[in-house]
Amino acid sequence: MSSTDALARLAAVIESRKPINGGDPEKSYVARLLQKGPDAFLKKIGEEATETVMAAKDLDHGADPAKLIGEVADLWFHSMIALAHYGLTPADVVAELSRREGLSGLEEKALRKAQQREKAGE
């Protein structure tokens, strides 16, 4: 079982919990967040990102690495809810990471900036 399989299975569960697909906001956390709209799940992403940063910083002071893993899992989960809301999947993210493979971070960043400048000039 690959990690992309696990992400695909989780994405399918999230998709099934969308209110439009019969997800019940009274019984499903995902359905409740999606029913509330982007502000609800985007706020959760911000909270989880902050908790991830705090857990990482705590590792420098002897904290349990499991805390960071848990916070990153929460961040990924809520990010997957956002992806689902916008009709995207973890596979789209994996494809983008694959596209970037072999590029240095600096090269990739420079390429993105050049593309943004090009779009702004259109």
Side-chain angles (χ1 to χ4, degrees):
M1 167 178 59
S2 77
S3 55
T4 53
D5 291 341
L7 291 173
R9 285 193 307 277
L10 180 55
V13 169
I14 291 170
E15 190 67 30
S16 75
R17 303 278 167 81
K18 285 181 172 180
I20 196 168
N21 293 334
D24 182 354
E26 296 296 317
K27 297 179 182 173
S28 166
Y29 173 73
V30 171
R32 188 174 314 133
L33 275 180
L34 288 168
Q35 183 184 51
K36 288 180 180 179
D39 284 352
F41 58 77
L42 296 175
K43 180 180 176 186
K44 285 301 295 179
I45 291 171
E47 291 171 6
E48 298 303 343
T50 299
E51 291 171 7
T52 297
V53 170
M54 291 168 45
K57 291 184 79 57
D58 288 347
L59 281 180
D60 291 330
H61 304 286
D64 183 354
K67 178 73 172 158
L68 177 59
I69 292 169
E71 294 301 343
V72 171
D74 291 345
L75 178 59
W76 287 14
F77 175 75
H78 288 91
S79 296
M80 289 175 67
I81 292 171
L83 288 171
H85 174 79
Y86 294 110
L88 302 166
T89 68
D92 296 318
V93 177
V94 171
E96 175 61 12
L97 290 171
S98 293
R99 184 192 68 77
R100 294 178 185 186
E101 189 174 3
L103 287 177
S104 84
L106 296 175
E107 288 171 334
E108 197 279 329
K109 187 174 180 181
L111 180 60
R112 271 189 290 142
K113 282 187 175 185
Q115 289 170 338
Q116 288 170 346
R117 281 193 301 269
E118 194 174 291
K119 276 186 178 180
E122 290 177 357

